[in-house]
Amino acid sequence: MTLASDLKNVDWVFGYASLIWRPDFAYTHRHVASLAGYRRVLWQASPDHRGTPEAPGRVATLTPDAGASCGGMAFRLPNAQRSSILRDLDEREQGGYERHMVSVALDDGPHVQALTYIGWPDNPHYLGPATEARIVEHIRRSHGPSGPNTDYVVELAKALASLGIADAALERIARQLA
Ligand code: BEZ
């Protein structure tokens, strides 16, 4: 799908990782939201932010899981800046992530269609599942231009906790890293 053909339909962006604590774009409303049928996983390589091309770190993506729900933040975009925000986001979320429209439930009730970014298994930076011990070990030794990989996970866990969003697997990994 091309950006231009989609622009008119994108009113909301759903963030489930760094967008939660560092959206870096203007929005008119922000709501804690949940995406049913997906789980947050640390299965995407980061060769540019939390690692290097030679030693990529591990960052979040979503994996389909029928029984799960992923908590995050939904941002409503201001009309006038929508296209430039989406263009900037497309650039920021390079590295194997693809735009994907999802239906998210806002904390005050309604469902909205939102754009999110997912690193699917066919992307070149997809690492896939690993044991929790291996994920912890990988993250502990990874550093990139945006800082230690550990900070990314600990920041994410803190942001989720401050919003009352439960993610038991991420909390366990963050506790081992902290
Ligand atoms: C997010 O916070 O939703 C996100 C951030 C970077 C890449 C993909 C998703």
Side-chain angles (χ1 to χ4, degrees), residues 59 107 111 169:
V59 289
D107 59 354
H111 279 73

Side-chain angles (χ1 to χ4, degrees), residues 14-20 60-61 92-93 97 116-118 152:
F14 176 71
Y16 57 87
S18 59
L19 290 182
I20 295 176
T61 183
R92 171 173 165 183
E93 314 313 355
Y97 291 100
T116 196
Y117 288 85
I118 300 182
Y152 168 89

Side-chain angles (χ1 to χ4, degrees), residues 9-149:
N9 302 321
V10 177
D11 210 13
W12 292 84
V13 168
F14 176 71
Y16 57 87
S18 59
L19 290 182
I20 295 176
W21 76 87
R22 197 170 56 83
D24 282 348
F25 57 79
Y27 51 85
T28 60
H29 302 80
R30 192 179 73 148
H31 285 271
V32 170
S34 61
L35 171 59
Y38 287 87
R39 181 161 57 92
R40 181 177 13 246
V41 287
L42 294 164
W43 292 359
Q44 180 77 357
S46 174
D48 48 358
H49 286 295
R50 300 295 177 165
T52 62
E54 298 73 36
R58 241 179 208 272
V59 289
T61 183
L62 296 176
T63 194
D65 182 339
S69 169
C70 175
M73 188 70 83
F75 302 91
R76 188 165 198 174
L77 304 180
N79 265 337
Q81 293 161 62
R82 197 183 284 179
S83 0
S84 67
I85 291 171
L86 293 173
R87 228 182 321 271
D88 290 349
L89 273 175
D90 266 11
E91 266 177 37
R92 171 173 165 183
E93 314 313 355
Q94 287 169 355
Y97 291 100
E98 275 184 19
R99 284 182 282 124
H100 190 66
M101 291 303 291
V102 289
S103 173
V104 297
L106 304 184
D107 59 354
D108 60 350
H111 279 73
V112 297
Q113 294 297 309
L115 176 82
T116 196
Y117 288 85
I118 300 182
W120 297 108
D122 61 356
N123 88 83
H125 302 296
Y126 185 76
L127 297 172
T131 64
E132 219 164 84
R134 275 189 189 279
I135 290 177
V136 168
E137 183 275 323
H138 183 168
I139 289 169
R140 195 172 269 143
R141 69 176 144 79
S142 299
H143 297 253
S146 302
N149 205 167

